[in-house]
Amino acid sequence: MALSSGLAATALAPTNPWTVVPSLGNLDAYISAANRLPLLTHEEEQDCARKLRDHNDVEAAGRLVMSHLRLVISISRQYLGYGLPHGDLIQEGNIGLMKAVKRFDPDQGVRLVSYAMHWIKAEIHEYILKNWRMVKVATTKAQRKLFFNLRSMKQGFKTEAETTHRNTLSDSEIDLVAAQLKVKREEVMEMETRMSGGDVLLDPAPSDDGEQAFGPIAYLADAAHEPTAMIESHQRDLLATDGIASALAALDERSRRIVEERWLKVRDDGSGGMTLHDLAAVYGVSAERIRQIEVAAMKKMRKTLAEYA
């Protein structure tokens, strides 16, 4: 995956420190190149930010982004423990950086580095939550906060857990986490269960000897052959055939033809049946009168179908 559109770099052109050679897929070279990019002074940062805000200067935006690539790299290293590729984390962080640059207001009296940290972390957090597990472990804002805080706090319990050969939190640790994070004990236990559980393939691939491996999908019930579903399906079939026929038979000839022409027949070109105006011309009445007859016929048919069911 590219580290970012036009931002993934491997070396610097000697004539211009802001010129980056396109990516060759070498992450170490990209990091080295990004760390050699010059930092902007406060005055230069303010000048570039105002050019971007007032004149939509793309070159100024590029300088703001490039000068903060090392910040993204530094922040992304904090999330290497989730087992996701470092390059992907940097890319997501770069997206957050570009969003921050686009929204940065130089008149707020805040340096871009402080403002961008929130956007970079938010983008990386979103990527981790989407890719750390096949099934999402956190969906609400509160669950996301608990996910990252709990994982961070568990690192402090790691030494004790290794000594006692435990993989989960003890009751006292759960109480401590709940108290510090100000959440319910049950919420900590639920998130711990989600984090501890791994992904299981519903339909595993065949083994090396060619035999089909059995997975959880083999034990799932077939809803199509569930008795209640079969009865409902049979009733729908009856209503669609005998029921409709009985409902149409209860109508007078004109009402029945109007319903059939409007809803049960298809023209040669594949379009719907006759329009209200077509039927109005056939019977020599207004289209509104045809609509009234149709409404009355439908009402009568629904009553007949209810009795048939």
Side-chain angles (χ1 to χ4, degrees):
M1 185 182 291
L3 291 177
S4 186
S5 300
L7 295 180
T10 59
L12 294 177
T15 57
N16 186 351
W18 299 106
T19 302
V20 180
V21 176
S23 172
L24 297 178
N26 191 320
L27 180 60
D28 291 335
Y30 167 81
I31 294 175
S32 176
N35 286 332
R36 291 199 303 269
L37 288 169
L39 296 174
L40 296 177
T41 65
H42 181 61
E43 291 73 18
E44 290 174 333
E45 180 181 292
Q46 292 281 305
D47 180 60
C48 288
R50 288 192 173 91
K51 287 181 179 178
L52 173 61
R53 182 193 63 185
D54 300 334
H55 307 291
N56 199 27
D57 191 327
V58 178
E59 182 178 350
R63 293 190 65 185
L64 291 171
V65 171
M66 302 288 278
S67 64
H68 288 80
L69 290 180
R70 67 184 68 192
L71 173 65
V72 175
I73 296 171
S74 176
I75 293 176
S76 66
R77 287 197 180 102
Q78 303 172 16
Y79 299 94
L80 291 177
Y82 292 92
L84 297 172
H86 192 193
D88 291 352
L89 294 173
I90 292 176
Q91 163 150 316
E92 297 302 319
N94 285 341
I95 294 174
L97 172 60
M98 288 185 281
K99 290 182 178 180
V101 168
K102 182 179 180 180
R103 294 167 173 79
F104 180 61
D105 185 355
D107 296 330
Q108 292 297 320
V110 179
R111 290 297 299 266
L112 177 58
V113 62
S114 301
Y115 180 76
M117 288 181 66
H118 163 77
W119 290 94
I120 296 170
K121 289 183 177 181
E123 208 68 30
I124 293 177
H125 286 184
E126 186 71 20
Y127 172 75
I128 291 174
L129 290 172
K130 287 181 178 179
N131 295 275
W132 193 60
R133 284 282 189 270
M134 186 180 297
V135 179
K136 291 184 179 180
V137 295
T139 54
T140 66
K141 183 178 180 180
Q143 288 177 344
R144 295 179 181 185
K145 182 179 180 180
L146 176 58
F147 171 82
F148 286 101
N149 287 332
L150 177 58
R151 196 175 190 280
S152 177
M153 294 184 67
K154 285 183 66 177
Q155 300 302 318
F157 303 139
K158 187 175 182 180
T159 303
E160 180 183 348
E162 290 175 347
T163 303
T164 57
H165 304 287
R166 289 187 292 102
N167 294 322
T168 59
L169 296 176
S170 64
D171 290 341
S172 60
E173 290 170 345
I174 292 175
D175 292 333
L176 178 61
V177 171
Q180 291 190 8
L181 300 182
K182 297 180 180 180
V183 296
K184 295 180 180 179
R185 190 175 189 276
E186 293 75 13
E187 294 177 358
V188 177
M189 294 174 63
E190 180 183 356
M191 183 57 66
E192 165 68 6
T193 302
R194 294 187 184 186
M195 293 173 63
S196 300
D199 296 328
V200 178
L201 291 176
L202 284 176
D203 190 10
S207 57
D208 294 336
D209 56 7
E211 294 184 1
Q212 178 66 41
F214 284 93
I217 196 171
Y219 304 99
L220 296 178
D222 186 356
H225 293 85
E226 197 272 330
T228 304
M230 294 178 66
I231 294 174
E232 291 178 350
S233 177
H234 180 63
Q235 289 179 339
R236 284 195 300 269
D237 292 341
L238 286 178
L239 285 176
T241 54
D242 297 346
I244 294 294
S246 299
L248 288 172
L251 301 177
D252 60 81
E253 183 179 352
R254 183 175 64 172
S255 298
R256 182 166 58 253
R257 184 186 176 189
I258 290 175
V259 172
E260 289 176 342
E261 295 291 348
R262 289 274 290 151
W263 301 103
L264 300 180
K265 292 185 178 181
V266 180
R267 297 182 183 182
D268 295 337
D269 59 0
S271 60
M274 297 177 67
T275 65
L276 295 175
H277 292 282
D278 293 337
L279 290 168
V282 172
Y283 289 103
V285 296
S286 65
E288 174 60 22
R289 178 55 186 156
I290 296 296
R291 189 194 67 81
Q292 293 174 355
I293 296 173
E294 179 186 1
V295 171
M298 288 292 190
K299 184 177 180 181
K300 189 173 183 179
M301 287 183 65
R302 282 194 292 268
K303 183 179 179 181
T304 304
L305 285 172
E307 295 174 351
Y308 186 88

